[in-house]
Amino acid sequence: MKKLYIPLIILTGLGLNAFAQEKSAKELKGDKYAFRYAYEDAIGSYTSAKQLTPEGQRRLAESYHNINRNKESEIVYAGLSNNSSGTLAEDHFNYAMILKMNGKYEEANKAMDKFSAMKPDDLRAKSYVENKEGFSGLLKDDGKYKVEHLKVNTEAKDFAPTYYKDKIVFASTRSAAKMVKRKDNWTGMPFLNLYVSDIDGSQLKKPENFNKDMNTKMHDGPASFSNNGTFMAFTTNNSDDKTPDKIVELQIAFSTFKDENWSEPEAFAFNNPEYSVGHPCLTSDGNTMYFTSDMPGGYGGSDIYKSSRTGTTWSKPENLGANVNTEGDEMFPFLVESKGTIFFSSNGHFGLGGQDNFYCIPSGKSYAKAVNCGSPLNTQYDDFAVIADGTTNKGYFSSNRAEGNGDDDIYTVDFLKGINTGKQINGFARDNDGNVIPKTFITLSNDKGVMIDTLTTDDKGEFTFAVDADKNFKLNGKKEKYTDGDSTANTFGKDAVVKADVILLTRKEAIAKKIEVGKDLGKVVSFNPIYFDYHEYAIRPDAEIELKKIISAMNDYPNMTIELGAHTDCRATQEFNQLLSERRAKASIDYIKKGISNPSRITGKGYGETRLANQCACEGENVKEYTEEEHQMNRRTEFIVIKK
């Protein structure tokens, strides 16, 4: 429930409240304190008022939460949630978040049910509805992570570690008493500065101030560095802010290490006094940056964006989309480049409480749906800012969980089963000739038919789903002027990415493919070709769909005899392709034989590259470069009924 996490700074002065005429003097005074993040004083004013408006109750509940007095916050939200005349949908959501942080999950679900009923199209409501049945799985420690508290933590805020050469840099409010000149209204602590520590096994050595010349009078940190450590991006307050709202937003600054010194910070081109940008994550070359912002045009709260630079010019920020961002707060992005995985924290996606850690996998220009990392990386408290080394499968994260030193602390995490603890189902929507079908609506369901996720394929017809390991799944494709296509996939085994295409037929093709088996039997069966991966002869999940149809038909009609022909594309030598096609024929025949009586009824052979389904030849005068989709049309096994 924290906004952009790092407290914004409030300057002196406050505009008139739109509801001022309806509020008591003590409530108005409480509003002034809350506006300045002086939450203890705000609570004193609010609780001394004889009566509070719904807005006053809301701000009192928020004030309690912002200083971690969540039991009192729960009581206030309970009263507000039951006030039918003044309750907003957001009150039910915030009440649910507080209940989760207090460990009251069943009551939290009741509050989310009310929120979902009021705002069914809200991405947070959709995430809750889609994932609530899997809550017990998130709570279970299934051996994916080993978590350890760092001795270097203090009673201050220590959080958001990042890699810097062979060291760790993190943000902290720690400071010697004699150095404290200014304090944050919200926490009563010094402002954030950056600290650096050497790595000592699973612990960190005593930290030092990263660079005193970078310390301003307000917040500085968190930070991110390019792989060689000579370019950095970091969060700081916009101390020159002169906007009427009196709020000093966050901004991102850059610095380059040259001649043994860090350069004077330069502002990110998309800083703006009207909104905040922060929590940068640079790619290893320093040319792409993921960051957090509450800029207009997002989904609500704070969203995660991406910007790339050419020379010194940064591109317009690109929102990562609805599979990552929600109407809640998404923050602290971190890209594990070697694994193609983005970690981030969110209170909008369904989780265990407060901020939870999530990961997602880029898919083309979009991103697969976010996956909750689960326990013990997540708890009922705020857990956020995961970073990971894709080589060692070790990393760090931040949390204010109960066993810490009193505020945000840094923890180590070992990814015992690898960085990607989940898997992907990747494939294409295709027609009967193997051509891709763009903009196809794909539904992913579990093996019981319960919908898990949906998406529309991109212009290349490709889809990607992030899924759990060791499970069975069903896929369905819908497209106007086509019949529905079905496929199956499973995530058993070691492969991180499972391939599964969905084949759709035009109405005309569907009619033409039907084979009437017996004039008086009333049985119509459709046999489609099956397809293979490049240089492979293993039966794919999408092929199993068709083979099972054939097995079923042959068992229903014991006299049916089928001959099949297996083929390859034109790449590789003719000798290799002939052998490959024979293996494809054998794999198809063996699969069917296991499921039918009198296995001699299925025969076939391989034809190599001699019977291409299109003009994608690799020899001759008119040879050209062909797409993978065009080659896929030729990697097939076809079936002919020779006896009914």
Side-chain angles (χ1 to χ4, degrees), residues 314-376:
W314 289 91
S315 65
K316 182 180 177 181
E318 171 191 339
N319 190 295
L320 265 56
N323 280 348
V324 175
N325 295 312
T326 69
E327 292 85 349
D329 295 311
E330 283 68 48
M331 304 182 287
F332 294 103
F334 183 83
L335 174 65
V336 187
E337 291 183 67
S338 63
K339 302 294 184 179
T341 300
I342 296 176
F343 284 105
F344 66 98
S345 68
S346 172
N347 63 10
H349 294 285
F350 183 76
L352 297 180
Q355 287 281 328
D356 270 18
N357 292 304
F358 292 80
Y359 72 87
C360 68
I361 302 170
S363 175
K365 294 183 180 180
S366 60
Y367 298 83
K369 187 159 285 191
V371 178
N372 190 298
C373 292
S375 176

Side-chain angles (χ1 to χ4, degrees), residues 320-475:
L320 265 56
N323 280 348
V324 175
N325 295 312
T326 69
E327 292 85 349
D329 295 311
E330 283 68 48
M331 304 182 287
F332 294 103
F334 183 83
L335 174 65
V336 187
E337 291 183 67
S338 63
K339 302 294 184 179
T341 300
I342 296 176
F343 284 105
F344 66 98
S345 68
S346 172
N347 63 10
H349 294 285
F350 183 76
L352 297 180
Q355 287 281 328
D356 270 18
N357 292 304
F358 292 80
Y359 72 87
C360 68
I361 302 170
S363 175
K365 294 183 180 180
S366 60
Y367 298 83
K369 187 159 285 191
V371 178
N372 190 298
C373 292
S375 176
L377 199 59
N378 291 326
T379 64
Q380 68 193 65
Y381 302 99
D382 283 318
D383 305 287
F384 56 99
V386 173
I387 64 171
D389 181 341
T391 302
T392 65
N393 288 338
K394 296 180 181 291
Y396 299 84
F397 72 102
S398 307
S399 178
N400 66 351
R401 57 188 62 186
E403 61 266 31
N405 284 9
D407 211 303
D408 298 321
D409 283 357
I410 301 172
Y411 293 75
T412 62
V413 55
D414 286 358
F415 295 87
L416 301 178
K417 296 183 179 180
I419 298 297
N420 289 332
T421 54
K423 296 191 176 185
Q424 280 184 302
I425 296 175
N426 174 262
F428 292 86
R430 300 182 185 277
D431 64 20
N432 192 44
D433 294 322
N435 299 309
V436 298
I437 307 175
K439 306 303 180 184
T440 301
F441 185 76
I442 306 292
T443 299
L444 174 74
S445 304
N446 63 20
D447 54 1
K448 296 180 181 179
V450 178
M451 187 186 73
I452 298 172
D453 199 0
T454 62
L455 58 76
T456 300
T457 64
D458 59 18
D459 291 337
K460 295 181 179 180
E462 187 174 17
F463 60 85
T464 299
F465 292 104
V467 294
D468 294 331
D470 301 328
K471 291 187 177 180
N472 293 302
F473 299 92
K474 297 179 180 180
L475 296 157

